[in-house]
Amino acid sequence: MAHKHGHGRERIQFANAEDKQEFSKYPTKAGRRSLSRSISQSSTDSYSSAASYTDSSDDETSPRDKAQVNSHGSTDFCVKNIKQAEFGRREIEIAEQDMSALISLRKRAQGEKPLAGAKIVGCTHITAQTAVLIETLVALGAQCRWTACNIYSTQNEVAAALAETGVPVFAWKGESEDDFWWCIDRCVNNDGWQANMILDDGGDLTHWVYKKYPSVFKKVRGIVEESVTGVHRLYQLSKAGKLCVPAMNVNDSVTKQKFDNLYCCRESILDGLKRTTDIMFGGKQVVVCGYGEVGKGCCTALKALGAIVCITEIDPICALQACMDGFRVVKLSEVIRQMDVVITCTGNKNVVSREHLDRMKNGCIVCNMGHSNTEIDVASLRSPELTWERVRSQVDHIIWPDGKRVIVLAEGRLLNLSCSTVPTFVLSITATTQALALIELYNAPEGRYKQDVYLLPKKMDEYVASLHLPNFDAHLTELSDEQAKYMGLNKNGPFKPNYYRY
């Protein structure tokens, strides 16, 4: 019997054709993708968060139908179970250990409160790491209301801990699509409270405000967006002349691209593969499709454990980098019969086609580290002659008529976010960048930013990096006056021109 598709959900339906055109989601630029827990998939794409231990099926009553009160007597929140707050607080405290940059940002700015008067409405993954960000914003003087950008990624106990401290949170793991938009609506539409800043991940909150409450933009000083998808939606609005406030593109900051995508994947690729298949990497033949930041991270880790790695690439520059790093650059069709593992990291679609899947050897593992579930043509495997067998959570064996098995992980969705966790320290870098972008837009003098999409100033990228150096007891060298003059630099930075590629 063919195994029925699990909880895959369709893309969000927009109300009318005009809306649809305005917000249609662009495919990602090849090789770029948003990671952290901000996957650049739409909020309603399914994926299960490995970091949450609370099961959403343990209580059938919808959180919307429960009357819950926190210990301060407030009912302005909607979470799975407020009683889990203490457990969630411990999760947040563990995350704080590895996010010292945000903690030092709190200490530095505690006196001056750069976000005093800011009313931030946020839509991100609700995990222990984002909780540290939210509580930092509150410490800097902001009032926050928060909701989830993905229906599966919320850690229920963390949402409860935030609601207990008085942050109105509307989110739980396993929301329906109707719940998802209801939660966003409850965040934005609140008597006597109107947002003046938006922090978005994927652009759904921004879309809802445009559709339902356009008057809110009269008060909003700026939008900070952190994912590939959301940034594309902003550029579309900007092109159409419909963006009526300045927006900050955090996704393409150096501190996001070069760290989240490279180092995060270098550590989480092995974690995701080990947890699902317990594979031994030594001597395995692996092909990695795409040698952008994500591909580079994956290859470094695999090579270090003794795997024999080859690359596929469309870009001659990335291909030459792969050659210089000691990898063979091949076409997938040339090597597919010999491969033990196939990993996609392109941000493209149908990189692994049904034809490739038909030619794989028995026991080949196929997975995706790229931006959404389009890279492997999983849909082509849902055909009558093939049998799907769910082996364990996020692991399917697809059996061909002759008995051959191919192992597909997470139904072709993001391996590390679906099957393992993502290192907190890397998320600290991204979250600090988000906090500084909010401070910058909120405090910018009238006219500094027009109604357009901006990248964070390089000075801020450098500041984010400097906040993370004490973790390693790293000591920066300072330029002498003479050296600074010779280089034509300010002693305090920025140290590189804007076109510099780190």
Side-chain angles (χ1 to χ4, degrees):
M1 270 299 288
H3 183 79
K4 277 285 193 290
H5 189 22
H7 44 225
R9 305 180 81 86
E10 295 308 307
R11 289 268 182 225
I12 296 154
Q13 296 298 305
F14 288 121
N16 55 40
E18 178 197 37
D19 265 356
K20 178 129 187 161
Q21 189 186 350
E22 192 175 311
F23 287 98
S24 67
K25 302 189 175 185
Y26 264 47
T28 325
K29 286 189 195 139
R32 258 196 205 172
R33 86 190 210 304
S34 146
L35 217 158
S36 70
R37 251 183 151 73
S38 83
I39 31 191
S40 62
Q41 300 175 16
S42 154
S43 48
T44 49
D45 265 9
S46 79
Y47 92 93
S48 67
S49 153
S52 190
Y53 306 105
T54 48
D55 182 23
S56 51
S57 59
D58 54 5
D59 173 9
E60 290 316 306
T61 323
S62 163
R64 285 166 67 171
D65 303 328
K66 285 188 197 166
Q68 299 187 82
V69 185
N70 71 10
S71 59
H72 311 291
S74 169
T75 56
D76 187 16
F77 62 88
C78 189
V79 298
K80 188 76 182 168
N81 185 355
I82 192 72
K83 293 190 181 72
Q84 293 175 336
E86 216 174 302
F87 172 33
R89 176 54 50 197
R90 287 199 293 277
E91 293 274 311
I92 295 168
E93 283 165 2
I94 293 167
E96 282 175 351
Q97 301 300 310
D98 229 0
M99 301 183 89
S100 53
L102 282 173
I103 307 299
S104 69
L105 195 64
R106 282 181 203 179
K107 287 197 185 111
R108 273 184 207 200
Q110 205 105 43
E112 61 197 75
K113 301 262 188 254
L115 290 174
K119 294 179 173 179
I120 303 169
V121 60
C123 179
T124 62
H125 299 275
I126 296 182
T127 60
Q129 291 83 7
T130 37
V132 180
L133 169 63
I134 294 165
E135 295 191 335
T136 300
L137 299 175
V138 171
L140 300 183
Q143 291 178 20
C144 296
R145 294 178 73 80
W146 226 263
T147 184
C149 69
N150 183 297
I151 58 176
Y152 290 109
S153 64
T154 299
Q155 286 177 256
N156 285 330
E157 62 281 8
V158 170
L162 285 167
E164 173 56 42
T165 58
V167 177
V169 174
F170 300 87
W172 57 93
K173 190 181 169 82
E175 297 166 12
S176 70
E177 196 166 312
D178 179 56
D179 292 334
F180 172 77
W181 293 111
W182 178 85
C183 286
I184 288 182
D185 196 74
R186 283 290 305 271
C187 258
V188 181
N189 182 17
N190 183 44
D191 286 344
W193 193 92
Q194 196 175 346
N196 55 23
M197 291 296 295
I198 290 175
L199 178 61
D200 209 353
D201 183 343
D204 288 318
L205 170 62
T206 305
H207 163 72
W208 191 254
V209 177
Y210 263 101
K211 196 169 105 175
K212 279 282 189 354
Y213 307 105
S215 66
V216 167
F217 283 114
K218 291 193 181 75
K219 288 257 172 68
V220 168
R221 296 194 198 176
I223 300 167
V224 174
E225 169 57 59
E226 113 97 7
S227 79
V228 176
T229 316
V231 165
H232 275 301
R233 291 166 97 173
L234 287 173
Y235 281 125
Q236 277 175 291
L237 278 174
S238 176
K239 243 190 217 139
K242 292 185 175 170
L243 185 67
C244 47
V245 293
M248 202 65 93
N249 164 5
V250 169
N251 178 63
D252 295 304
S253 299
V254 179
T255 40
K256 163 92 175 49
Q257 277 287 322
K258 293 281 171 179
F259 293 85
D260 227 333
N261 295 11
L262 178 75
Y263 302 112
C264 181
C265 297
R266 189 174 76 181
E267 303 209 5
S268 55
I269 176 71
L270 302 177
D271 186 12
L273 282 165
K274 286 277 191 200
R275 287 195 202 197
T276 46
T277 63
D278 306 304
I279 183 179
M280 171 99 188
F281 291 104
K284 286 287 189 296
Q285 297 271 354
V286 182
V287 60
V288 174
C289 304
Y291 201 65
E293 299 295 340
V294 174
K296 288 180 174 79
C298 292
C299 291
T300 308
L302 292 158
K303 185 180 183 178
L305 285 191
I308 302 154
V309 183
C310 55
I311 307 292
T312 70
E313 229 338 313
I314 55 162
D315 181 330
I317 297 175
C318 293
L320 187 57
Q321 285 181 313
C323 294
M324 299 300 277
D325 287 334
F327 299 109
R328 262 180 69 219
V329 177
V330 296
K331 285 185 167 170
L332 191 56
S333 53
E334 297 167 353
V335 298
I336 194 71
R337 284 189 188 286
Q338 293 91 53
M339 291 300 125
D340 298 303
V341 186
V342 179
I343 302 166
T344 54
C345 314
T346 67
N348 208 329
K349 65 185 280 195
N350 296 350
V351 176
V352 176
S353 67
R354 174 64 194 264
E355 190 188 344
H356 293 129
L357 291 152
D358 283 336
R359 293 178 57 215
M360 283 174 188
K361 69 180 188 186
N362 185 43
C364 182
I365 297 168
V366 190
C367 64
N368 167 42
M369 287 288 286
H371 90 112
S372 88
N373 55 345
T374 55
E375 304 211 16
I376 301 159
D377 186 5
V378 177
S380 71
L381 294 174
R382 302 194 181 281
S383 59
E385 77 280 10
L386 302 181
T387 309
W388 283 65
E389 191 175 277
R390 174 55 58 103
V391 181
R392 50 166 96 157
S393 172
Q394 309 288 3
V395 183
D396 289 294
H397 284 191
I398 288 86
I399 307 164
W400 267 251
D402 64 358
K404 175 185 98 169
R405 286 170 185 248
V406 166
I407 301 157
V408 174
L409 303 182
E411 296 178 29
R413 298 178 190 283
L414 261 171
L415 175 76
N416 54 1
L417 283 170
S418 308
C419 303
S420 64
T421 55
V422 180
T424 301
F425 184 75
V426 161
L427 297 191
S428 171
I429 300 174
T430 304
T432 309
T433 308
Q434 284 173 302
L436 288 177
L438 284 164
I439 292 171
E440 170 69 14
L441 274 181
Y442 182 67
N443 293 296
E446 193 75 40
R448 177 183 293 177
Y449 295 106
K450 312 279 182 290
Q451 295 170 345
D452 207 348
V453 187
Y454 292 87
L455 277 170
L456 211 60
K458 187 176 287 289
K459 191 96 183 82
M460 295 206 147
D461 270 332
E462 291 178 354
Y463 181 54
V464 170
S466 71
L467 283 173
H468 288 84
L469 290 174
N471 280 62
F472 306 99
D473 193 25
H475 305 267
L476 283 175
T477 305
E478 286 179 34
L479 291 172
S480 69
D481 291 340
E482 193 186 357
Q483 287 173 322
K485 191 176 172 191
Y486 178 75
M487 296 292 285
L489 292 173
N490 181 323
K491 280 170 86 164
N492 302 317
F495 298 98
K496 301 285 191 291
N498 273 336
Y499 52 80
Y500 183 80
R501 295 184 180 85
Y502 292 82

